């Protein structure tokens, strides 16, 4: 397995993207919903490859604005061109669901165990993360994990629900 210390990734919400402008990034995985404009990247000192996706944060695959299998295939094709040393910023609207799913998938794609990948995402972003399960389901199928990745995430989200609830109760969120 690849040591997580050499994986320079960040996860954030769209409002936080400008705070990463001074950090040299290789890629930005930008996931926004259909109502949201692209983030302003003019302040960035480097020119990272920007990969834009537009789909809503839903787990309902019948919703026309849901993450699609084709979008996740495209995401995985981008990941195939990265290395564990690539500096990547993952962002979505709030940095909770779609971006954390994209980061989780990237880590697994680069050989990190499900448990270590999920723990790393939580360590980066916080206990409130809840990776989009439909994105993970599509990645699980495409990557040939036979439902194991989805089952792990579902169980982990269920196990961590009290911790997330406690976090939101303390933070007033």
């Amino acid at each position: 397995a690849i040591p997580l210390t050499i994986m320079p990734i960040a996860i954030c919400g769209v409002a936080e993207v400008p705070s990463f402008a001074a950090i040299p990034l290789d890629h930005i995985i930008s996931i926004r919903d259909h109502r949201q404009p692209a983030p302003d990247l003019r302040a960035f000192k480097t020119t990272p490859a920007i990969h834009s996706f537009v789909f809503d944060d839903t787990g309902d695959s019948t919703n026309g604005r849901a993450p699609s299998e084709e979008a996740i295939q495209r995401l995985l094709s981008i990941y195939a061109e990265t290395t564990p040393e690539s500096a990547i910023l993952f962002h979505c609207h709030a940095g909770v669901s779609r971006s954390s799913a994209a980061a989780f998938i990237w880590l697994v794609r680069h050989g990190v165990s499900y448990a270590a990948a999920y723990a790393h995402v939580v360590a980066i972003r916080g206990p409130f993360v809840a990776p989009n399960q439909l994105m993970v389901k599509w990645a699980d199928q495409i990557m040939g994990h036979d439902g194991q990745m989805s089952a792990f995430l579902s169980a982990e989200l269920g196990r961590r629900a009290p911790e997330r609830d406690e976090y939101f109760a303390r933070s007033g969120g």
Side-chain angles (χ1 to χ4, degrees):
I2 299 165
L4 294 175
T5 56
I6 64 167
M7 296 186 157
I9 65 173
I11 303 167
C12 71
V14 69
E16 300 162 278
V17 169
S19 67
F20 291 88
I23 298 170
L25 296 169
D26 299 308
H27 299 270
I28 296 176
I29 305 296
S30 175
I31 306 171
R32 52 196 176 82
D33 65 42
H34 72 281
R35 298 175 307 263
Q36 188 177 46
D40 183 2
L41 303 174
R42 291 177 291 182
F44 275 72
K45 307 287 185 249
T46 61
T47 309
I50 300 165
H51 311 282
S52 294
F53 294 83
V54 178
F55 51 80
D56 290 357
D57 184 18
T58 180
D60 178 3
S61 62
T62 65
N63 178 331
R65 294 188 175 117
S68 67
E69 181 177 8
E70 293 77 21
I72 303 309
Q73 285 174 333
R74 184 175 151 237
L75 190 66
L76 288 167
S77 72
I78 293 164
Y79 292 178
E81 298 174 14
T82 65
T83 69
E85 294 80 18
S86 297
I88 302 177
L89 172 62
F90 299 89
H91 92 79
C92 62
H93 178 73
V96 173
S97 182
R98 291 168 290 176
S99 58
S100 65
F104 173 76
I105 294 164
W106 185 80
L107 289 162
V108 170
R109 166 69 177 78
H110 284 290
V112 177
S113 72
Y114 306 147
Y118 185 76
H120 196 59
V121 168
V122 170
I124 291 169
R125 192 64 183 150
F128 52 83
V129 299
N132 182 287
Q133 290 180 296
L134 183 55
M135 289 175 65
V136 173
K137 175 189 154 211
W138 290 128
D140 187 326
Q141 289 177 7
I142 296 164
M143 293 166 55
H145 287 246
D146 299 322
Q148 295 174 13
M149 196 159 113
S150 295
F152 168 83
L153 181 61
S154 181
E156 194 63 16
L157 289 173
R159 185 183 76 73
R160 293 191 70 128
E163 181 181 357
R164 280 193 309 279
D165 293 347
E166 181 182 322
Y167 171 85
F168 285 119
R170 279 194 325 267
S171 67

